[in-house]
Amino acid sequence: MIELAAAAGARVFATASAADLGRCRDLGAAEVFDYRDERLSERLASAGPVDLFVDTSGRNDLEAAVRLLARRGRIVLLAGARSRPVLPAGELYMHDRSVLGFAISNATTADLADAAAALTPRFAAGGLRPRRVEHRALADAAETHRRLERGEVRGRVVLLTP
């Protein structure tokens, strides 16, 4: 997402682990923040209001995220199916802000075709490369998924048949 947003001309603020801050910069983030920083909310707020806040953490701290939004800003949630965040309704409707969910499994064939058409040139130009690829047998899918849920997998995992 960082690479795509930066290529589209967005000024990207990224949060990541301390080990990943350099990677985020390399992908085009203008500013990077350690998500374990006790003053993270304060640092993000001082960076200025944001038009789009994409939450891939699954924690979905809407109270903190909504405070960072510009007027008509949006939050997109990509994880956290079991989270039950507090919804700051007043802060949302008083400033025309919104919260959206996105799950790739809900995409239509046409949506996926549009995404492929937009991404294929970036792949062809050498962009959008994962840090590393792990090859696993399809029989290892359940254990690989458990590793993903525990946060043990970095980069991408490719499941292949034997």
Side-chain angles (χ1 to χ4, degrees), residues 69-133:
L69 292 178
R71 185 173 180 273
R72 295 194 174 144
R74 294 162 293 164
I75 298 170
V76 178
L77 305 177
L78 298 176
R82 294 187 180 110
S83 74
R84 297 291 180 256
V86 172
L87 182 68
E91 286 294 309
L92 287 167
Y93 79 80
M94 294 296 289
H95 301 283
D96 297 327
R97 297 168 175 159
S98 60
V99 179
L100 307 169
F102 175 79
I104 192 70
S105 56
N106 294 327
T108 66
T109 303
D111 294 334
L112 295 173
D114 289 346
L119 297 177
T120 298
R122 293 206 65 79
F123 284 121
L128 303 176
R129 296 291 180 230
R131 212 174 322 204
R132 70 174 194 230
V133 175

Side-chain angles (χ1 to χ4, degrees), residues 138-147 159:
L138 188 56
D140 296 334
E143 177 54 28
T144 301
H145 196 269
R146 284 189 287 275
R147 288 178 57 217
L159 300 176

